[in-house]
């Protein structure tokens, strides 16, 4: 499957905007419920780093073909967050989060799905770049 350069660029931008949505869910880092339920990964510092990763995706959106190995790193990063989310979901109750704060509950419900979807997108782009396939 060949995707147009513009479609891939939009994918990188969308990935970045999805990460930036952490600002909404965390109410600009003032929502204490998100860090409360996973203080190791989802501290305010952790949420800030999620925003920074998003900015990194956007920064390469138009030049992703020049940074193949960085795209590979994006795959690894997304898989790690996806794994952390699955682990969290297996050992915690998202309904407990919803009871305390709806925005935090929504965040915990969807962030891992987002990470898995974009890990697949980044992997697809990385494989295409590794094969030397040109996009149009």
């Amino acid at each position: 499957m060949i995707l147009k350069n513009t479609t891939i660029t939009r994918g990188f931008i969308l990935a970045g905007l999805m990460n930036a949505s952490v600002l909404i869910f965390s109410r600009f880092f003032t929502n204490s419920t998100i860090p409360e339920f996973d203080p190791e990964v989802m501290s305010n510092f952790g949420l800030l780093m999620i925003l920074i990763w998003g900015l990194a995706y956007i920064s390469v959106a138009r030049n992703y073909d020049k940074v193949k190995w960085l795209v590979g790193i994006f795959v690894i990063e997304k898989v790690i967050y996806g794994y952390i989310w699955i682990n969290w979901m297996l050992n915690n109750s998202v309904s407990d989060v919803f009871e305390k704060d709806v925005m935090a509950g929504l965040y915990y419900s969807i962030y891992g799905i987002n990470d898995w979807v974009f890990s697949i997108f980044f992997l697809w782009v990385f494989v295409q770049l590794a094969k030397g396939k040109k996009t149009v």
Side-chain angles (χ1 to χ4, degrees):
M1 176 170 75
I2 303 265
L3 293 179
K4 292 183 177 184
N5 283 342
T6 54
T7 303
I8 296 171
T9 294
R10 288 180 185 141
F12 276 89
I13 293 169
L14 182 59
L17 292 174
M18 291 299 290
N19 272 41
S21 73
V22 74
L23 292 171
I24 295 165
F25 290 105
S26 73
R27 295 184 190 97
F28 288 84
F29 309 114
T30 63
N31 185 339
S32 61
T33 304
I34 293 174
E36 176 187 334
F37 280 87
D38 191 353
E40 194 171 300
V41 178
M42 296 299 165
S43 65
N44 281 338
F45 176 76
L47 296 174
L48 176 63
M49 291 300 98
I50 289 168
L51 175 62
I52 297 301
W53 277 108
L55 295 174
Y57 308 149
I58 293 169
S59 76
V60 302
R62 296 193 192 284
N63 298 301
Y64 63 87
D65 56 327
K66 294 176 178 64
V67 290
K68 169 179 66 177
W69 294 108
L70 182 57
V71 175
I73 290 168
F74 292 165
V75 174
I76 294 167
E77 179 262 341
K78 285 297 191 187
V79 167
I80 290 169
Y81 275 98
Y83 172 80
I84 294 291
W85 177 74
I86 287 173
N87 218 20
W88 189 91
M89 293 297 273
L90 291 173
N91 294 295
N92 295 277
S93 169
V94 75
S95 62
D96 291 345
V97 183
F98 270 107
E99 283 179 26
K100 191 142 190 191
D101 183 85
V102 172
M103 291 299 280
L106 286 170
Y107 178 75
Y108 276 98
S109 295
I110 63 171
Y111 91 79
I113 297 166
N114 174 72
D115 288 325
W116 285 114
V117 167
F118 282 106
S119 71
I120 293 166
F121 168 73
F122 290 141
L123 178 61
W124 182 87
V125 173
F126 177 75
V127 168
Q128 297 309 303
L129 294 172
K131 288 180 177 179
K133 289 195 175 179
K134 297 287 183 188
T135 53
V136 290

